[in-house]
């Protein structure tokens, strides 16, 4: 079910505004103005700035989203109905020792940091083993770190928990406004210059925590994944 922004119990809408332009630590993008509106999620604990014409769809939470106070699972779709990103909040804080093992050097396409001193990073990396695959996400890993790790989703922390906010691109996925003949990292670099990518980046980097969350003790999964 598509969310009419502002009508679900966990989501509410504020006035339309234009997101502050993030300071990217590394950037291969072209500047595009992004018209957006601020939307609250997870019972008002977080907000994002939804690009004009995009939609939100509530999906089922996963087993690891333990904190009912702050758990939300949202798919964001572009005006054509294509899923652009998935956000899941309400997981336990993510520990640094959980960083996945090193891989071959991935190709860093773009990167940025929400806060100059701390906070989640945005990374866009093409997979070293399969350059036609990539991941765009908010993560605890800096862009340079992400370039040296498997191109998989790595969460980011907020006060009281962690979340994933990602888009995975596969070899067969069509990219808006990109020539189908482009391959590998060249294809990803071209996408990084599109208006759609600017909207996606703006959406991800607009994530903000609005309320403090009471931390819960670590818990074991209540069910086995995939069952």
């Amino acid at each position: 079910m598509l969310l009419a922004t502002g009508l679900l119990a966990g989501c509410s809408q504020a006035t339309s505004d234009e997101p502050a332009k993030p300071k990217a630590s590394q950037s291969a993008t072209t500047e595009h103005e992004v018209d957006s509106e601020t939307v609250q999620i997870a019972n008002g604990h977080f907000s994002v700035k939804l690009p004009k014409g995009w939609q939100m769809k509530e999906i089922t939470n996963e087993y690891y989203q333990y904190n009912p106070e702050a758990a939300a699972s949202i798919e964001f779709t572009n005006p054509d109905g294509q899923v652009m990103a998935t956000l899941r909040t309400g997981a336990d804080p993510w520990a640094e020792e959980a960083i996945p093992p090193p891989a071959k050097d991935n190709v860093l396409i773009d990167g940025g940091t929400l806060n100059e001193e701390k906070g989640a990073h945005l990374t866009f990396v093409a997979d070293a083993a399969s350059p036609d695959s990539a991941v765009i996400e908010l993560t605890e890993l800096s862009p340079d770190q992400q370039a040296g790790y498997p191109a998989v989703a790595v969460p980011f922390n907020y006060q009281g928990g962690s979340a994933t906010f990602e888009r995975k691109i596969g070899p067969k996925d069509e990219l808006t406004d990109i020539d189908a003949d482009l391959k590998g990292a060249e294809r990803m670099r071209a996408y990084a210059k599109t208006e759609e990518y600017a909207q996606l980046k703006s959406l991800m980097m607009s994530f903000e925590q609005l309320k403090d969350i009471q931390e819960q003790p670590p818990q074991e999964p209540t069910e086995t994944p995939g069952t």
Side-chain angles (χ1 to χ4, degrees):
M1 178 177 67
L2 287 179
L3 306 186
T5 54
L7 299 183
L8 273 202
C11 303
S12 63
Q13 178 178 321
T15 57
S16 295
D17 61 352
E18 216 170 85
K21 291 182 181 179
K23 293 184 178 179
S25 57
Q26 302 185 42
S27 182
T29 63
T30 300
E31 290 294 329
H32 291 276
E33 293 294 329
V34 178
D35 187 12
S36 62
E37 59 182 359
T38 300
V39 180
Q40 295 183 6
I41 60 175
N43 301 306
H45 283 88
F46 313 105
S47 70
V48 294
K49 293 178 178 177
L50 186 70
K52 185 176 181 179
W54 289 37
Q55 298 287 330
M56 298 167 55
K57 179 182 177 182
E58 189 176 48
I59 57 177
T60 304
N61 287 341
E62 293 285 2
Y63 70 96
Y64 55 80
Q65 293 172 264
Y66 300 118
N67 193 327
E69 176 189 5
S73 297
I74 306 290
E75 283 184 346
F76 297 89
T77 58
N78 66 11
D80 294 328
Q82 182 182 6
V83 176
M84 291 286 98
T86 301
L87 170 64
R88 294 186 182 276
T89 63
D92 286 342
W94 187 80
E96 185 175 352
E97 56 267 24
I99 291 177
K104 295 180 180 179
D105 288 342
N106 295 312
V107 180
L108 179 62
I109 305 299
D110 189 32
T113 302
L114 269 64
N115 182 296
E116 290 184 4
E117 298 179 358
K118 62 179 181 179
H121 306 278
L122 178 133
T123 63
F124 180 2
V125 293
D127 192 334
S130 176
D132 282 315
S133 298
V135 62
I136 304 167
E137 65 177 337
L138 283 188
T139 174
E140 280 295 295
L141 300 179
S142 70
D144 288 336
Q145 284 179 303
Q146 183 69 60
Y149 286 93
V152 297
V154 176
F156 66 94
N157 289 327
Y158 52 78
Q159 180 277 319
S162 69
T164 56
F165 201 171
E166 62 169 340
R167 179 187 181 184
K168 293 180 179 178
I169 300 173
K172 296 182 179 179
D173 292 341
E174 293 185 5
L175 296 178
T176 303
D177 298 328
I178 299 304
D179 190 328
D181 291 334
L182 288 179
K183 302 297 181 184
E186 184 181 7
R187 173 177 176 240
M188 303 305 172
R189 291 191 182 100
Y191 183 62
K193 296 178 181 179
T194 64
E195 180 179 11
E196 182 178 271
Y197 175 71
Q199 292 172 323
L200 175 58
K201 181 177 179 179
S202 175
L203 168 68
M204 287 185 169
M205 294 193 73
S206 71
F207 181 91
E208 183 177 359
Q209 183 170 1
L210 304 178
K211 296 181 183 179
D212 287 343
I213 295 168
Q214 183 174 352
E215 296 188 36
Q216 297 188 352
Q219 303 179 48
E220 292 297 323
T222 55
E223 59 182 88
T224 303
T227 61

